[in-house]
């Protein structure tokens, strides 16, 4: 089971989800960031949050946005949204620490997940974790990061340098063949990866999903492959998003080789099978940019 609580106000609001029944005394922490245009609730990331919490992890979900340009006008000035996300994380952590009856977060096992514009903010937060007073990122999963392209191609909302991301982090950045790079080949993960030269190739990967209509429902590789409302998880959620997210966090926590999370291991490349045994379109994996649809 799981337990939900919330607090804060406006764009600084937050949700916390704790594993229950069994209820651990402490648990790893995951910070999950939604994409642009989710003004309240956690609908777009419901299934990923639920999966993460039921596997025994605390999830903090900052609200960071209350309107179309509130508190930040997209890529033109992302800082107010980043500040709101940080305030939400701090508020949630303070609430947990203030109550010994709550599951306490193990900050030495902290992972970050970011979707779309939330992925841009996640990359910038991970880059500035020390100055912002955030838990050090051990594992990062970014899903089709994008700042909308309104301020030009190539994700200009990303920090100019990403040297602050720890070099020993495990990082996977996903692009869909029908997603951001279909419109801007220089965008998404292709914009981020040239800034990650300090991270060894064995600790990072760009992965590409492709559409697959062999069965029903067909699998899309458009923007937001890892987003799923309640009851809407599909084979890519099970066989790619959750599998890799779990593998990243496990490998980082246990110090294991990240082959299943990042490498060219068949366990990483495989995204499962259709009911007739036909393999679902496998991941394409690169350890540098660019990757092309």
């Amino acid at each position: 089971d799981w337990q939900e609580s919330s607090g804060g106000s406006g764009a600084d609001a937050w949700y916390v989800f704790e594993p229950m029944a069994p209820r651990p005394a402490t648990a790893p922490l995951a910070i999950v960031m939604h994409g642009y245009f989710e003004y309240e609730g956690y609908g777009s990331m419901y299934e990923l949050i639920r999966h993460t919490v039921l596997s025994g992890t605390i999830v903090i979900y900052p609200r960071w946005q209350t309107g179309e340009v509130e508190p930040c006008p997209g890529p033109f000035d992302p800082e107010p949204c980043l500040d709101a996300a940080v305030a939400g994380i701090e508020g949630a952590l303070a609430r947990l620490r203030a109550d010994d009856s709550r599951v306490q977060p193990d900050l030495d096992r902290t992972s970050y997940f970011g979707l779309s514009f939330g992925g841009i903010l996640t990359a910038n937060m991970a880059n500035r974790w020390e100055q912002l007073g955030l838990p050090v990122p051990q594992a990062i999963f970014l899903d089709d990061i994008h700042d909308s392209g309104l301020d030009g191609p190539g994700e200009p909302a990303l920090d100019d340098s990403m040297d602050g991301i720890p070099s020993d982090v495990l990082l996977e950045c996903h692009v869909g063949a029908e997603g951001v790079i279909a419109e801007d080949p220089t965008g998404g993960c292709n914009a981020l990866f040239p800034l990650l030269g300090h991270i060894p190739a064995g600790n990072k990967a760009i992965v590409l999903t492709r559409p697959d209509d062999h069965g029903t429902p067909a699998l899309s590789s458009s923007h937001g492959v890892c987003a799923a409302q309640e009851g809407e998880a599909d084979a890519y959620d099970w066989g790619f998003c959750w599998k890799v997210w779990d593998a990243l966090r496990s490998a980082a926590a246990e110090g294991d080789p990240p082959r299943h999370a990042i490498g060219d291991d068949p366990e990483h490349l495989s995204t499962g099978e259709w009911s007739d045994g036909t393999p679902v379109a496998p991941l394409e994996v690169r350890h540098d940019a660019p990757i092309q649809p």
Side-chain angles (χ1 to χ4, degrees):
D1 202 1
W2 62 339
Q3 172 178 287
E4 171 199 324
S5 57
S6 60
S9 62
D12 296 348
W14 48 265
Y15 290 90
V16 165
F17 306 87
E18 299 167 65
M20 307 292 288
R23 176 195 173 280
T26 63
L29 173 66
I31 295 167
V32 176
M33 296 278 286
H34 63 80
Y36 214 74
F37 298 123
E38 181 153 43
Y39 307 140
E40 59 184 30
Y42 49 93
S44 67
M45 303 309 301
Y46 176 93
E47 291 285 1
L48 182 130
I49 292 170
R50 180 177 183 275
H51 170 81
T52 304
V53 178
L54 294 186
S55 69
T57 297
I58 297 169
V59 168
I60 291 177
Y61 185 83
R63 180 174 177 177
W64 72 257
Q65 188 178 29
T66 56
E68 187 169 344
V69 294
E70 299 166 350
C72 71
F76 302 107
D77 183 13
E79 295 304 306
C81 283
L82 186 144
D83 291 343
V86 172
I89 295 166
E90 291 174 341
L93 286 173
R95 180 70 61 85
L96 289 170
R97 289 166 173 156
D99 186 349
D100 290 341
S101 70
R102 307 286 293 270
V103 181
Q104 294 301 302
D106 181 352
L107 301 188
D108 290 331
R109 293 187 291 167
T110 300
S111 51
Y112 291 75
F113 182 100
L115 166 68
S116 191
F117 193 78
I120 298 286
L121 298 178
T122 297
N124 290 349
M125 287 195 305
N127 182 47
R128 305 183 216 168
W129 68 272
E130 192 166 21
Q131 69 188 75
L132 294 173
L134 294 174
V136 57
Q138 279 199 318
I140 302 172
F141 189 114
L142 303 173
D143 183 17
D144 219 20
I145 62 173
H146 193 36
D147 68 10
S148 79
L150 294 175
D151 197 28
E155 317 303 348
L158 286 170
D159 286 350
D160 292 336
S161 169
M162 287 288 163
D163 287 350
I165 297 178
S167 60
D168 60 352
V169 77
L170 300 184
L171 185 150
E172 178 142 309
C173 194
H174 164 253
V175 296
E178 303 171 309
V180 171
I181 62 170
E183 299 179 4
D184 176 13
T186 69
C189 303
N190 283 340
L192 174 66
F193 257 61
L195 305 176
L196 302 180
H198 65 292
I199 300 176
N203 281 20
K204 62 186 177 184
I206 306 179
V207 299
L208 177 81
T209 53
R210 298 186 182 278
D212 189 337
D213 61 359
H214 176 78
T216 302
L219 295 173
S220 168
S221 66
S222 60
H223 192 55
V225 165
C226 296
Q229 302 275 346
E230 183 175 0
E232 294 183 357
D234 63 17
Y236 272 156
D237 291 298
W238 285 91
F240 163 52
C241 304
W242 304 350
K243 182 192 76 173
V244 169
W245 173 230
D246 290 352
L248 279 172
R249 295 182 295 125
S250 177
E254 302 300 330
D256 295 333
R259 296 187 304 272
H260 294 180
I262 287 175
D264 299 325
D265 189 291
E267 291 294 326
H268 183 210
L269 300 179
S270 171
T271 55
E273 296 180 347
W274 292 100
S275 57
D276 65 359
T278 300
V280 176
L283 297 179
E284 181 178 335
V285 178
R286 288 188 57 89
H287 301 285
D288 55 9
I291 197 167
Q292 301 294 342

